[in-house]
Amino acid sequence: MTDPTTLTTEARTVLDVIRRRRTVDITLLKPDPVPRDVLEHVLTAGTWAPTHGLTQPWRFTVFTGEARTRLGEIFAQAYAAGTAADRGSESALAAQRARALKAPAWISLELHVPSTSRFPLWEEQAALSSAAQTMLLAATAFGLAGKWASGAVMISPVTAAALGAPSLMGFLYLGYPNAGVPDSTRAPLADKVTWAE
Ligand SMILES: Cc1cc2nc3c(=O)[nH]c(=O)nc-3n(C[C@H](O)[C@H](O)[C@H](O)COP(=O)(O)O)c2cc1C
């Protein structure tokens, strides 16, 4: 019988991808487009996230190529409708338009809770969050990097309405990173885990 503590090739691969997924600033992405096949693998992985009662409370809109100009316009509209002091500034709106073009692919995280759902809202949000993390991991496996972006514009009702979504939990942006992706840090396991044996 195989020793259950053996780090199998599969376990090593999964753990390595989890460790290698790091949040990457948009300025560290190459402009190279992400092939649609790759994005479909990433999205499919997202849909295999856990979902209580199989409510699958997610919809995704994928912006690539020229469509990012429309996304930038949506971000600008959301910014103009927000509360930032410079919401009336043309340069601030131009920065919102430009931001959308800085990542080759954007995936909206749209929360669609079925009216028949028997579950509390947090469980539906948790399902969409699980889908987001699963997509980030799948993207990492393809050599992509990105960020879960949840700033005011990313969750704005204006942005949600433009996508036809009831609400948004932000966007993932993805692209191929330049060399030098910064690492992150975590508290030691002992700070977070209590073993009851
Ligand atoms: C729900 C959620 C929303 C996030 N929103 C943002 C964001 O708006 N801007 C940002 O820079 N990072 C955002 N992040 C990413 C965190 O900043 C990042 O995970 C943290 O810095 C740790 O880095 P790591 O992901 O590389 O471990 C978000 C993460 C989560 C889980």
Side-chain angles (χ1 to χ4, degrees), residues 76-77 79-81 84-97:
Q77 284 170 9
Y79 196 83
D86 62 352
R87 62 185 180 277
S89 142
E90 194 41 54
S91 66
L93 301 185
Q96 292 297 328
R97 291 187 187 99

Side-chain angles (χ1 to χ4, degrees), residues 12-122:
R12 199 185 295 274
T13 302
V14 170
L15 295 177
D16 177 62
V17 168
I18 291 168
R19 180 62 185 86
R20 282 193 301 107
R21 180 213 60 80
R22 296 278 59 88
T23 295
V24 169
D25 192 74
I26 206 163
T27 57
L28 298 178
L29 298 179
K30 296 178 187 170
D32 311 24
V34 183
R36 180 163 169 148
D37 282 1
V38 170
L39 289 171
E40 284 186 3
H41 280 299
V42 167
L43 291 154
T44 301
T47 65
W48 282 106
T51 156
H52 199 174
L54 269 178
T55 59
Q56 302 169 78
W58 43 64
R59 299 285 185 282
F60 311 111
T61 305
V62 185
F63 289 90
T64 59
E66 290 299 313
R68 293 172 303 158
T69 305
R70 181 161 74 84
L71 182 64
E73 195 50 50
I74 294 169
F75 288 163
Q77 284 170 9
Y79 196 83
T83 56
D86 62 352
R87 62 185 180 277
S89 142
E90 194 41 54
S91 66
L93 301 185
Q96 292 297 328
R97 291 187 187 99
R99 175 152 61 149
L101 301 174
K102 287 183 181 158
W106 292 79
I107 300 174
S108 67
L109 301 173
E110 302 169 23
L111 185 67
H112 286 251
V113 179
S115 56
T116 52
S117 176
R118 297 174 279 128
F119 308 107
L121 178 61
W122 75 264

